[in-house]
């Protein structure tokens, strides 16, 4: 048995060695695997924390961008640009309210404004909220720029009470090319508060830095120490992204510093994390020490390693979840940014479309004004010569022909006036006046105009005004007559026999205001229910054949409906085929307290004294019409064909009145009038020569332009001889007496 002892010993020794080698290899393999796992875990933790810091930096940048977009949206409003242009107290109050609403709209994960101010080009504060603008808004141009945000915005930096404040400044341009800036103030702690709202748990020690200087820092760990160890040092040393400072202090473990640049700015976000002790560089060495202590500690080491691996797995799972959440937040931010960009693009397109529409409307107005002028000029000759011809000796056939020419010309003039009124209403340039007038006198004028046509068609024509209606009202008598003439003329057009009636009744009455009901009834052809839906549309008649049978543009009812709406009412229709139609509307009127000027019902009169009249007109036909009228009234006329000749003639020889065409070659009537008025002022002339504008331009702005140039009266073409005679009598200030003949 002895020989077997050494062999057995050797066997056990070999077995022991083998077991030791196997156990050592197994334990070494386990420790090596644990060592590698710890290193991988530490690197994975570093990468996750770096990604977390970058994500928060991106969120901080998007928070600033969102605030900048809100400022830009407010800056494009009409109130901000109006305050920049007008410096109006009312707009300032409105803007202060809007600023306070924007400052009070706190949103999670969004920079909150502490104050908002509107500055002019010189940096002076126009409007601010709160009212007392503090020093953070002064000398904005001297503050350091730390970022340029998309969409025209600068991020500036200022310190107030040892705390960093960030100023968002966006440029603003007013409607009159004035410029300024809209400034929003964001507190540094507000930015870090926005980050806290994004994080799933309380943030570690965090700071916002610029060029190695701490601007804003969190108050994390305040319960333990004043500030997290290493935060200020990390910022001051400008530690690169992902740098790890090892500190195996039992209280704090391993310290990890991560730094990332905030998008669109020169700001850095710095975070200092305290990692668990298991991620320190000494962990692998501890495993080796445990292996050296012996096999007795192997079980404990195995348990420890198992627990470490379990912790690694849990930490990796948490980091994966955090990374997934961060990716989702980033995707949502990117989606929000894209939506903001699309909205900004839509706004730009909308502004371009608005500008194009305004240009088209202006071109349309100019076209209509030019066409009106070009049509009215020859029409003035047609109607003027027709009136003059009718006053000569004619046989019956000739008189019938000339009256037909005159009536056709007047019909064409009505078409032109309808189109001009419609275009002004469409462009929003139709204005409703408020002046004192006599209701019954205005209605009598309508009756005198339409009664002859009713008698010609053998149609009974009746006008009834209730006795309890006050006669003196405030309103627009011209537009009221236009509506009544359109409605009654429409009834006359479609009524061949029977009756047409205008009834005006009192609908309601207050202390100083009344509402009147107007009804126009006829026994004409009537309108079906289907046709009533389109009767108030432009260029539409109830039946397409009506325009061929009865004539007309189809604009009369459209214009009447819109004029009634402008005066505060609504035009309504009740009708049935072969049972006539009833148009009705109600309008409000204030009671007139001043004296009301009575409408002229007698013949138009002028002075018996012959006048010396200068006629500035380049159109030969219009020259003939005007001079014939003047000759007939006993006046002497001198004709010139351009503005320069008119000025020279006035210099050479005095005149009682000047009839001035507006559009003439070489020098137009506007500039010629300015020169005459300027010469009167320079020569201290006591006598002021009256100048009457004779023009085919019939818009209200044309009359204002003539009067601004110094003209005393405005007469549009085609000329009405009665109107011209009345104007001459008023301007020469001579008692009106009828002129024979």
């Amino acid at each position: 048995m002895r020989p077997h002892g050494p062999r057995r010993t050797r066997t056990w020794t070999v077995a022991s060695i083998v077991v030791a080698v196997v156990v050592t290899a197994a334990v070494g393999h386990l420790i090596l695997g644990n060592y590698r796992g710890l290193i991988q875990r530490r690197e994975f933790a570093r990468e996750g924390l770096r990604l977390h810091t970058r994500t928060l930096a991106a969120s901080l940048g998007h928070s600033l961008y969102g605030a900048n977009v809100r400022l830009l949206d407010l800056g494009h409003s009409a109130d901000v640009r109006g305050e920049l242009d007008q410096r109006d107290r009312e707009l300032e109050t409105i803007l202060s309210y809007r600023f306070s609403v924007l400052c009070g709209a706190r949103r999670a994960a969004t920079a909150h404004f502490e104050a908002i101010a509107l500055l002019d080009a010189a940096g002076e504060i126009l409007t601010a909220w709160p009212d007392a603008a503090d020093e953070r808004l002064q000398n904005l141009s001297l503050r350091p720029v730390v970022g340029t945000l998309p969409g025209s915005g600068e991020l500036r930096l200022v310190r107030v009470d040892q705390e960093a404040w960030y100023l968002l400044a966006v440029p603003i341009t007013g409607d009159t090319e004035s410029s300024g800036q809209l400034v929003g103030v964001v507190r540094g702690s507000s930015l870090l508060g926005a980050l806290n709202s994004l994080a799933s748990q309380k943030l570690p020690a965090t700071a916002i830095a610029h060029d190695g200087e701490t601007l804003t820092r969190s108050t994390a760990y305040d319960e333990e120490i004043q500030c997290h160890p290493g935060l200020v040092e990390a910022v001051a040393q400008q530690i690169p992204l992902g740098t790890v400072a090892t500190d195996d202090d039992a209280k704090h473990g391993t310290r990890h510093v991560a730094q990332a640049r905030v998008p669109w700015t020169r700001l850095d976000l710095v975070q200092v994390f305290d990692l668990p002790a298991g991620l320190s560089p000494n962990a692998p060495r501890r495993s080796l020490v445990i292996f050296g202590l012996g096999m007795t500690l192997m079980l404990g080491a195995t348990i420890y390693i198992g627990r470490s691996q379990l912790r690694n797995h849990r930490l990796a799972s948490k980091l994966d979840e955090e990374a997934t959440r961060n990716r989702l937040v980033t995707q949502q931010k990117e989606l929000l940014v894209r939506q903001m960009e699309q909205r900004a693009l839509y706004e730009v397109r909308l502004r371009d479309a608005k500008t194009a529409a305004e240009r088209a409307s202006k071109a349309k107005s100019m076209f209509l004004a030019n066409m009106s002028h070009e049509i009215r000029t020859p029409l003035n000759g047609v109607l003027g010569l027709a009136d003059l011809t009718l006053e000569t000796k004619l046989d019956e056939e000739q008189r019938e022909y000339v009256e037909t020419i005159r009536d056709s010309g007047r019909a064409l003039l009505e078409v032109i006036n309808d189109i001009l009124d419609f275009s002004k209403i469409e462009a929003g340039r139709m204005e409703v006046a408020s002046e004192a007038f006599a209701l019954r006198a205005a209605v009598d004028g309508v009756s005198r105009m339409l009664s002859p046509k009713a008698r010609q068609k053998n149609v009974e024509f009746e006008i009834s005004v209730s006795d309890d209606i006050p006669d003196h009202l405030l309103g627009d008598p011209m537009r009221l007559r236009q509506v009544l003439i359109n409605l009654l003329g429409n009834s006359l057009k479609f009524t061949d026999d029977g009756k047409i009636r205008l009834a005006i009744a009192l609908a309601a009455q207050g202390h100083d205001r009344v509402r009147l009901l107007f009804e126009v009834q006829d026994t004409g052809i009537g309108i079906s229910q289907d046709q009533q839906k389109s009767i108030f549309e432009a260029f539409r008649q109830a039946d397409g054949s009506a325009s061929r049978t009865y004539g007309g543009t189809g604009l009369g009812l459209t214009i009447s409906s819109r004029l009634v709406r402008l005066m505060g009412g609504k035009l309504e229709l009740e009708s049935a085929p072969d049972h006539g139609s009833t148009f009705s509307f109600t309008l409000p009127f204030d009671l007139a307290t001043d004296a009301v000027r009575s409408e002229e019902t007698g013949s138009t009169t002028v002075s018996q004294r012959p006048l010396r009249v200068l006629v500035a007109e380049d159109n030969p036909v219009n020259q003939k019409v005007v001079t014939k009228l003047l000759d007939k009234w006993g006046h002497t006329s001198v004709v010139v064909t351009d503005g320069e000749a008119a000025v020279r003639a006035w210099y050479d020889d005095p005149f009682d009145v000047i009839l001035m065409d507006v559009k003439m070659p070489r020098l137009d009537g506007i500039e010629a009038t300015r020169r005459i008025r300027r010469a009167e002022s320079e020569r201290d002339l006591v006598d002021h020569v009256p100048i009457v504008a004779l023009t085919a331009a019939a818009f209200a702005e044309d009359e204002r332009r003539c009067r601004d140039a110094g003209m005393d009266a405005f007469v549009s073409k085609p000329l009405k001889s009665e109107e011209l005679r009345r104007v001459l009598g008023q301007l020469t200030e001579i008692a009106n007496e009828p002129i024979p003949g």
Side-chain angles (χ1 to χ4, degrees):
M1 295 297 292
R2 186 173 292 178
H4 297 287
R7 182 182 300 174
R8 184 176 298 164
T9 301
R10 288 194 298 271
T11 302
W12 280 108
T13 300
V14 172
S16 299
I17 293 173
V18 171
V19 170
V21 170
V22 171
V23 171
T24 301
V27 175
H29 178 73
L30 291 175
I31 293 176
L32 182 61
N34 181 62
Y35 180 80
R36 291 175 178 173
L38 289 175
I39 293 176
Q40 184 178 8
R41 172 189 170 192
R42 186 173 59 193
E43 292 301 320
F44 190 82
R46 288 180 179 177
E47 185 62 28
L49 295 175
R50 281 197 293 266
L51 178 61
H52 183 260
T53 302
R54 290 174 182 171
T55 301
L56 291 181
S59 300
L60 183 60
H62 287 298
S63 180
L64 289 172
Y65 177 73
N68 187 65
V69 168
R70 291 160 64 192
L71 278 183
L72 283 173
D73 183 62
L74 179 61
H76 286 306
S77 68
D79 294 337
V80 171
R81 289 179 293 159
E83 170 65 11
L84 194 62
D85 294 336
Q86 303 173 13
R87 314 293 172 87
D88 186 76
R89 182 64 184 174
E90 183 178 352
L91 286 177
E92 179 183 353
T93 302
I94 294 173
L95 285 181
S96 297
Y97 173 74
R98 292 188 64 177
F99 290 172
S100 65
V101 171
L102 186 57
C103 290
R106 297 177 179 269
R107 303 178 184 176
T110 303
H112 172 65
F113 292 114
E114 298 291 334
I116 298 179
L118 176 63
L119 282 67
D120 61 14
E124 294 295 327
I125 297 176
L126 300 179
T127 304
W129 190 91
D131 294 335
D134 53 24
E135 62 182 5
R136 71 199 72 162
L137 301 179
Q138 303 296 333
N139 299 322
L140 176 62
S141 60
L142 302 180
R143 306 299 185 185
V145 179
V146 295
T148 302
L149 299 173
S152 300
E154 288 186 346
L155 181 66
R156 295 179 179 269
L157 178 63
V158 62
R159 286 185 176 275
V160 178
D161 298 332
Q162 297 183 349
E163 183 179 5
W165 296 73
Y166 301 92
L167 306 181
L168 287 168
V170 298
I172 304 298
T173 301
D175 294 333
T176 60
E177 300 302 324
S178 56
S179 61
Q181 288 183 321
L182 191 62
V183 180
V185 182
V186 180
R187 191 194 300 266
S189 57
S190 174
L191 293 178
L192 293 182
L195 293 181
N196 264 321
S197 65
L198 288 174
S200 59
Q201 56 188 358
K202 185 176 181 180
L203 289 176
T206 307
I208 300 176
H210 177 245
D211 292 337
E213 179 185 5
T214 303
L215 302 179
T216 305
R217 67 186 183 189
S218 67
T219 56
Y221 307 101
D222 273 351
E223 297 178 358
E224 300 176 8
I225 51 178
Q226 182 64 23
C227 183
H228 190 284
L231 176 59
V232 178
E233 295 84 344
V235 174
Q237 298 171 9
Q238 301 185 44
I239 295 178
L241 178 65
T243 299
V244 176
T246 302
D247 182 359
D248 288 336
D249 185 275
K251 189 174 184 179
H252 297 290
T254 300
R255 183 170 301 143
H256 181 88
V257 181
Q259 182 173 344
R261 177 57 56 91
V262 179
W264 306 307
T265 71
R266 296 195 296 275
L267 302 177
D268 296 314
L269 183 67
V270 181
Q271 294 195 95
V272 179
F273 304 87
D274 285 337
L275 300 181
L279 294 181
S280 67
N282 294 329
R285 288 196 294 271
R286 291 194 186 99
S287 298
L288 294 177
V289 171
I290 293 173
F291 176 74
L293 292 177
M295 300 298 295
T296 55
L297 301 178
M298 186 180 300
L299 180 59
T302 304
I303 294 174
Y304 173 78
I305 293 171
R307 289 181 177 178
S308 297
Q309 290 177 346
L310 180 60
R311 286 197 300 271
N312 290 342
H313 177 71
R314 290 176 179 174
L315 179 60
S317 299
K318 290 182 179 179
L319 291 176
D320 285 340
E321 293 176 359
E322 187 69 21
T324 301
R325 283 196 293 269
N326 290 337
R327 284 195 299 271
L328 291 176
V329 171
T330 302
Q331 291 174 358
Q332 291 176 353
K333 289 287 186 181
E334 292 175 352
L335 177 61
L336 181 60
V337 170
R338 286 196 298 270
Q339 291 176 347
M340 290 179 178
E341 292 174 350
Q342 291 177 355
R343 178 179 177 182
L345 180 60
Y346 292 153
E347 291 177 352
V348 171
R349 291 177 178 174
L350 182 60
R351 287 196 297 270
D352 293 342
K354 179 183 177 183
T355 302
E358 290 174 348
R359 286 199 299 266
S361 178
K362 184 176 180 181
K364 174 184 175 182
S365 298
M366 292 180 62
F367 171 77
L368 287 174
N370 291 333
M371 290 303 298
S372 170
H373 182 274
E374 296 303 321
I375 295 175
R376 284 173 179 270
T377 298
L379 195 57
N380 180 61
V382 172
L383 294 179
L385 292 177
D387 289 335
L388 290 173
T389 304
L390 287 173
E391 295 180 3
T392 62
K393 293 182 179 181
L394 301 173
D395 58 32
E396 291 300 324
E397 184 178 7
Q398 291 172 336
R399 182 170 298 276
E400 180 182 357
Y401 292 161
V402 176
E403 287 178 349
T404 302
I405 293 173
R406 182 190 61 185
D407 294 342
S408 299
R410 290 178 178 175
L412 178 58
L413 181 60
E414 290 180 3
V415 172
I416 296 172
N417 290 335
D418 283 348
I419 294 176
L420 290 179
D421 284 344
F422 179 73
S423 66
K424 285 192 286 186
I425 292 174
E426 269 199 332
R429 297 165 60 187
M430 178 68 75
E431 299 177 356
V432 177
S434 178
E435 60 184 51
F437 72 100
L439 175 65
R440 289 171 177 80
V443 173
D444 288 342
V446 174
S447 176
R448 287 194 304 273
M449 182 179 297
L450 298 177
S451 293
K453 186 174 181 180
R455 287 194 298 269
Q456 183 181 359
K457 293 189 67 173
N458 253 345
V459 175
E460 183 180 351
F461 188 78
E462 178 184 344
I463 293 181
S464 172
V465 181
S466 179
D467 294 336
D468 57 353
I469 296 178
D471 193 50
H472 295 170
L473 305 175
L474 281 177
D476 193 332
M478 183 182 72
R479 297 303 176 192
L480 177 61
R481 282 195 298 266
Q482 183 177 357
V483 172
L484 294 178
I485 290 171
N486 279 345
L487 295 179
L488 291 170
N490 187 73
S491 296
L492 279 172
K493 182 189 299 184
F494 295 102
T495 302
D496 294 329
D497 54 19
K499 180 179 180 181
I500 295 174
R501 182 174 184 267
L502 168 62
I504 306 176
L506 184 64
Q509 183 171 9
H511 176 66
D512 56 355
R513 191 174 178 85
V514 296
R515 179 173 285 275
L516 303 183
L517 172 63
F518 296 82
E519 287 187 344
V520 176
Q521 302 173 342
D522 64 62
T523 58
I525 60 176
I527 306 170
S528 66
Q529 289 293 329
D530 294 338
Q531 293 170 340
Q532 291 179 25
K533 298 178 181 178
S534 60
I535 194 67
F536 295 115
E537 295 180 7
F539 305 104
R540 292 290 298 272
Q541 292 184 335
D543 187 353
S545 62
S547 61
R548 296 187 297 271
T549 304
Y550 299 98
T553 61
L555 288 175
L557 290 179
T558 303
I559 295 173
S560 299
S561 175
R562 300 191 183 183
L563 285 177
V564 169
R565 192 178 306 127
L566 284 174
M567 291 187 288
K570 181 181 179 182
L571 183 60
E572 297 180 346
L573 167 65
E574 293 182 5
S575 181
D578 300 326
H579 288 80
S581 303
T582 300
F583 291 89
S584 62
F585 60 92
T586 61
L587 291 180
F589 296 95
D590 292 330
L591 299 181
T593 57
D594 299 332
V596 178
R597 180 180 60 85
S598 299
E599 295 192 359
E600 298 178 1
T601 58
S603 60
T604 305
T605 60
V606 295
S607 167
Q608 289 183 336
R609 179 176 66 87
L611 302 176
R612 182 172 172 79
V613 182
L614 175 61
V615 180
E617 172 65 62
D618 62 318
N619 187 281
V621 178
N622 291 337
Q623 292 174 0
K624 182 180 296 185
V625 172
V626 174
T627 56
K628 290 291 186 182
L629 288 173
L630 294 175
D631 292 342
K632 177 185 174 183
W633 299 336
H635 304 312
T636 302
S637 60
V638 176
V639 179
V640 293
T641 58
D642 59 71
E644 289 186 357
V647 176
R648 287 197 303 270
W650 174 80
Y651 268 110
D652 297 338
D653 199 1
F655 291 92
D656 296 313
V657 179
I658 299 177
L659 302 182
M660 184 78 72
D661 186 22
V662 173
K663 288 189 177 182
M664 291 186 293
R666 301 180 65 182
L667 187 68
D668 62 22
I670 298 293
E671 185 58 32
T673 301
R674 291 196 182 104
R675 292 187 183 182
I676 292 175
R677 297 305 182 212
R678 190 162 51 246
E680 287 178 342
S681 177
E682 293 172 354
R683 296 164 59 183
D684 294 330
L685 296 180
V686 178
D687 294 334
H688 173 90
V689 58
I691 301 179
V692 180
L694 295 182
T695 176
F699 287 102
E701 52 266 29
D702 297 316
E703 181 175 357
R704 285 196 297 268
R705 195 161 60 96
C706 292
R707 293 190 180 275
D708 292 342
M711 296 185 180
D712 301 278
F714 182 90
V715 177
S716 63
K717 300 174 183 176
L719 294 178
K720 295 180 181 178
S721 59
E722 297 84 358
E723 181 180 5
L724 182 58
R725 293 173 68 185
R726 178 180 56 80
V727 169
L728 290 176
Q730 291 176 348
L731 292 180
T732 53
E733 297 182 355
I734 300 177
N736 290 333
E737 297 179 5
I739 290 182

